[in-house]
Amino acid sequence: MATASLFFSAFTTLLFLLLVSPSSSSTASTRKLTALVQQQPLILKYHNGLLLKGNFTVNLIWYGKFTATQRSIISDFIRSLSPSSKTPRQSQPSVSSWWRTTERYEGGGPANLILGTQVLLNGGKSLKLSDLAELASRGPSRNAINVVLTGADVTVEGFCMSRCGTHGASPPSKKGRFAYVWVGNSATQCPGQCAWPFHQPIYGPQGPPLVAPNNDVGVDGMVINLATLLAGTVTNPFDGGYYQGPATAPLEAVSACTGIFGKGAYPGYPGRVLVDRASGASYNAQGMFGRKYLLPAMWDPKTSQCATLV
């Protein structure tokens, strides 16, 4: 089973937005070019495989150093995805509205993600990709998505060089199979690659970075990457779901919309988002317990567009 990797960089953002983003606008010279070349709708093909639907626990496996505040930022995000059905829809956090876009994918349905077990682990400070699958297997596997989160003090094979995170699945067995996700904290290793737009990119347009909504560049960047990979897990869990391009390097529900967070996004500019007057932090989604998050655009199969919350 090949894993789908998530890699953000200014270059890939620039290339993607210039070539395929239907919602992007750019400089005058780019607008002249797009006037001559008609943009095609962004289409993610359904490959007739299984999508995840129903109730799933999201088990968090923390590997390395994380503070209690950092753990709460991410656990509150998970809680915000599928709030209790007893909560009136108008009172639900807007994070859940973002997540409900996954319900529009044919062959899928509501995938309710519920925060499950949290495991704190410490060990070696250098991991291989095979170690991530082994760590993920330590969580409960029945109707679960196990998420491995590595701290800023942990190096992972390919991290920063070719990926910011991955999602995959365990091999088929009599007990079934479970999906897993890995995301690393890039705060001290490569924030310009894996925590943009909260840090200036290494390459490409050098606009000022946004202020992270929870005042933590590394963990707020992790939320963006975790959101991206969870959406990919639900809509393409076993390589037969929705994606564009080769199965070994797919553009999925959110990774197909790289670099877009609000209306008017273009290379180096994440788009128009909300700003907290008190802190100056940028966000586009409200979570549980007053949390604010910046969530990436997700491809909407009903419109074939990258949809944003603001």
Side-chain angles (χ1 to χ4, degrees), residues 68-89:
T69 298
Q70 289 176 324
R71 295 197 301 270
S72 68
I73 292 170
I74 290 181
S75 58
D76 287 348
F77 169 68
I78 300 298
R79 291 186 179 99
S80 303
L81 291 169
S82 304
S84 170
S85 58
K86 297 180 181 179
T87 304
R89 179 159 289 197

Side-chain angles (χ1 to χ4, degrees), residues 39-167:
Q39 290 185 336
Q40 299 299 315
L42 175 61
I43 302 296
L44 269 61
K45 181 181 177 181
Y46 179 38
H47 295 78
N48 301 312
L50 179 68
L51 275 64
L52 299 187
K53 56 184 176 181
N55 297 325
F56 289 84
T57 56
V58 177
N59 303 303
L60 303 180
I61 301 167
W62 304 91
Y63 189 92
K65 292 182 180 179
F66 287 95
T67 67
T69 298
Q70 289 176 324
R71 295 197 301 270
S72 68
I73 292 170
I74 290 181
S75 58
D76 287 348
F77 169 68
I78 300 298
R79 291 186 179 99
S80 303
L81 291 169
S82 304
S84 170
S85 58
K86 297 180 181 179
T87 304
R89 179 159 289 197
Q90 63 271 21
S91 301
Q92 292 182 1
S94 58
V95 169
S96 65
S97 298
W98 176 86
W99 183 247
R100 283 196 296 271
T101 302
T102 61
E103 298 177 15
R104 301 172 189 170
Y105 286 66
E106 184 180 354
N112 300 311
L113 303 189
I114 302 157
L115 183 64
T117 302
Q118 299 194 53
V119 180
L120 307 183
L121 297 175
N122 279 300
K125 299 304 181 184
S126 180
L127 298 175
K128 296 181 179 180
L129 289 179
S130 58
D131 295 327
L132 300 174
E134 192 278 327
L135 287 170
S137 70
R138 300 187 188 186
S141 60
R142 184 175 179 82
N143 294 329
I145 300 172
N146 292 337
V147 177
V148 177
L149 301 153
T150 52
D153 59 323
V154 179
T155 61
V156 178
E157 178 185 0
F159 187 43
C160 299
M161 298 297 292
S162 59
R163 58 182 62 88
C164 300
T166 60
H167 78 83

Side-chain angles (χ1 to χ4, degrees), residues 237-256:
F238 309 123
D239 290 344
Y242 283 84
Y243 61 88
Q244 182 186 76
T248 53
L251 290 176
E252 298 178 322
V254 176
S255 60

